[in-house]
Amino acid sequence: MSIAQPLDQPAAATETLATTPATPAPDPGQPHDPTPDHPHRSERVAPGRGGPNTLDVTIVLPCYNEQDHVLDEIERISRAMDATEFSYELLVIDDKSTDGTLKVLQEALPHFPHMRLMPFRRNGGSGTARRIGTTEAYGRYVVWTDADMTYPNERIPEFVQYLIDHPDVDQVVGARTTEQGTHKFLRVPAKWAIRKVAERLAQTKIPDLNSGLRAFRRDVSLPYLRLLPPGFSCVTTITMSFLSNQHPVDYLPIDYAKRAGSSKFHFVKDAYRYILQVLRMVMYFNPIKVLMPLALWLIFAAVVKVVVDVIRFGLRVPTSTLLLFMSGLIIASMALLADLIVRSRGDT
């Protein structure tokens, strides 16, 4: 796993994908409800959009209380994409904002022909927005980013072009070179520790585990969307899902700016969720890697303790030693059983 260098050529200079013939699109004047069960409606479907894979790129932009700067972000993304030959849509998802974000987006809708607005009826979290946005995307390539002005979204075409130029890579992630978030003195060591645990479990180097700017192939991501949690750890989940299933992930170094508006990140709660999500992903795809080392250490400790107990007490073995040994055997059995279940599953 290596950090790739940014491309020197223009985003669309090498290859532009030809869109496949689209099935008839819904009437642009009518609201579009992607699925009856989703608590939202998608406003305006541009002519020629007939479903998945009818465009080159879908940019999923979740918004929650971003009224003061979301329009600047939309303009920046649209300007960067309009300078390329990619066909694209900007799928803006309002996650039931409590300020005027939705009103700003509705007023901006007529001025951005590539924009599609999807307002949620209730707050579902950024992970839910990204999951539904990716499911409903019309692009072959999906880009995730944030609307808080922190990520260099003008570089989105570069990320898409990287996937086109490297057909062996399934996801490219923006690896942040600085940390600008709140509680920086706590976030930096916590993220480093979580990232090292993830690298150990995934057996690969991960320069940035939870970057919010990334591009990936939509068809590769579909089996893993149901695993995405509703909160911030969705970016960690999609990274671990790809790595755990041998989908190549590359990294491009990016600058990271101070966010506009107030942060929705809660250090203790979200850091705890990050740790659980990393363990959950590895347990889901490779449980023996988590459980078996623990089992072997317990068994080894029990054997050493038996030797010490025999020397100290003769042939009498304390109950604590037996419990230690039995705990190791039980966890080892669980590891083997969990691994058998994973290998018999048809979705990995």
Side-chain angles (χ1 to χ4, degrees):
M1 195 64 58
S2 61
I3 299 182
Q5 298 300 319
L7 302 179
D8 295 329
Q9 58 190 0
T14 304
E15 178 181 348
T16 301
L17 299 179
T19 56
T20 56
T23 56
D27 184 351
Q30 297 297 324
H32 169 59
D33 196 350
T35 62
D37 296 331
H38 287 171
H40 59 268
R41 301 187 73 87
S42 177
E43 298 184 11
R44 195 183 64 190
V45 179
R49 296 181 186 174
N53 297 336
T54 56
L55 296 175
D56 294 336
V57 186
T58 293
I59 299 134
V60 179
L61 187 68
C63 300
Y64 179 69
N65 292 349
E66 315 280 4
Q67 64 175 7
D68 296 330
H69 47 268
V70 66
L71 191 57
D72 293 335
E73 197 68 274
I74 291 173
E75 290 176 346
R76 178 164 63 148
I77 295 173
S78 299
R79 187 164 53 248
M81 294 302 298
D82 288 341
T84 72
E85 297 180 6
F86 295 129
S87 59
Y88 76 96
E89 64 170 345
L90 176 55
L91 180 53
V92 183
I93 301 176
D94 178 69
D95 195 16
K96 193 60 176 178
S97 297
T98 57
D99 63 357
T101 300
L102 181 57
K103 182 179 179 181
V104 171
L105 294 174
Q106 290 172 332
E107 292 176 351
L109 195 59
H111 304 288
F112 295 94
H114 296 280
M115 175 178 164
R116 181 156 61 112
L117 177 58
M118 186 181 291
F120 281 5
R121 296 178 181 175
R122 58 184 177 86
N123 182 267
S126 61
T128 301
R130 289 185 170 103
R131 174 177 57 81
I132 294 177
T134 304
T135 303
E136 301 298 330
Y138 295 152
R140 296 181 181 86
Y141 301 99
V142 174
V143 176
W144 286 0
T145 189
D146 290 336
D148 55 13
M149 307 299 290
T150 53
Y151 292 101
N153 288 332
E154 66 277 1
R155 292 181 60 185
I156 287 176
E158 178 184 335
F159 280 66
V160 177
Q161 189 66 43
Y162 188 91
L163 289 176
I164 294 173
D165 293 340
H166 299 80
D168 59 319
V169 176
D170 291 325
Q171 183 173 184
V172 57
V173 179
R176 293 165 292 184
T177 56
T178 58
E179 174 61 61
Q180 297 291 342
T182 56
H183 309 291
K184 185 175 179 179
F185 68 100
L186 293 174
R187 288 166 67 108
V188 172
K191 285 186 175 182
W192 179 87
I194 296 172
R195 180 164 55 85
K196 288 304 178 182
V197 171
E199 287 180 346
R200 177 79 174 178
L201 295 176
Q203 294 184 328
T204 186
K205 184 174 179 58
I206 306 175
D208 195 334
L209 179 62
N210 56 347
S211 171
L213 176 58
R214 62 190 59 226
F216 51 86
R217 304 180 193 277
R218 179 181 178 273
D219 58 339
V220 176
S221 72
L222 292 179
Y224 313 119
L225 294 182
R226 60 187 178 83
L227 303 176
L228 298 183
F232 290 103
S233 51
C234 63
V235 291
T236 304
T237 303
I238 200 71
T239 301
M240 294 300 294
S241 296
F242 273 54
L243 293 176
S244 299
N245 285 275
Q246 305 302 313
H247 297 297
V249 178
D250 278 0
Y251 298 83
L252 294 176
I254 61 171
D255 294 327
Y256 188 62
K258 186 177 181 180
R259 87 174 317 281
S262 58
S263 176
K264 289 87 175 177
F265 184 87
H266 302 283
F267 175 77
V268 175
K269 181 172 65 175
D270 288 316
Y272 176 69
R273 288 175 177 173
Y274 275 133
I275 296 173
L276 287 184
Q277 196 62 22
V278 169
L279 293 176
R280 182 180 293 122
M281 285 298 96
V282 178
M283 283 290 292
Y284 186 86
F285 293 114
N286 198 353
I288 201 169
K289 189 178 294 185
V290 177
L291 297 176
M292 191 57 74
L294 175 60
L296 294 178
W297 272 110
L298 289 174
I299 294 174
F300 176 76
V303 171
V304 172
K305 195 170 185 302
V306 164
V307 174
V308 174
D309 291 339
V310 168
I311 295 175
R312 293 179 60 189
F313 308 114
L315 296 178
R316 185 172 64 87
V317 179
T319 304
S320 60
T321 304
L322 294 177
L323 288 176
L324 196 63
F325 184 75
M326 291 304 299
S327 296
L329 286 182
I330 291 173
I331 294 176
S333 301
M334 290 175 57
L336 294 173
L337 179 60
D339 185 67
L340 179 62
I341 293 173
V342 168
R343 292 178 182 277
S344 64
R345 214 170 50 211
D347 61 344
T348 57

